[in-house]
Structures are given as structure tokens and as C-alpha cells.
Amino acid sequence: MTDTKIAERFKMPIRTLANWKKQKPSNWRRKLYVFMKEKLEREDHSEKREEHF
């Protein structure tokens, strides 16, 4: 998931996300960035998944 897509989805400035991404892994902003990125990746993956009956 790109930072641009994350920024659009959560209506955040791209610079904010870039700053959060540069933080130490223990920083809450970095953790929130990773959470948002993973959440959107899961949503995107689930939308593309086919249903099998």
C-alpha cells in the first residue's frame, strides 16, 4: 500500500505519514502508520479474493 493511498483513505497530509514512517519502531506514530498500512492492505486483499462455493 502506498503512502498516497493511505493519505487519501484517512484524509491525512502525505508529509505527516512520511514523518511517522521515519520514527523509531517503538514510537506510537510509527505503530499507527504500520497499523493503517496493514489495515488497507488486508481490505484490498479481501476485496480481490474470489469466493468459492
Side-chain angles (χ1 to χ4, degrees):
M1 185 63 49
T2 65
D3 288 352
T4 304
K5 288 183 181 181
I6 296 170
E8 289 173 359
R9 173 69 158 77
F10 290 102
K11 298 179 179 135
M12 297 178 66
I14 193 78
R15 287 183 166 205
T16 299
L17 290 175
N19 187 319
W20 288 11
K21 188 166 47 171
K22 294 177 186 176
Q23 301 297 316
K24 293 180 182 177
S26 61
N27 186 294
W28 69 270
R29 289 176 179 92
R30 171 72 184 261
K31 290 178 182 180
L32 184 57
Y33 168 80
V34 171
F35 172 78
M36 292 188 301
K37 182 174 178 151
E38 290 175 351
K39 178 172 176 37
L40 290 181
E41 286 173 348
R42 278 184 265 133
E43 286 180 1
D44 188 45
H45 179 70
S46 67
E47 288 175 2
K48 292 180 182 177
R49 188 176 62 194
E50 293 182 18
E51 301 246 353
H52 298 282
F53 296 99

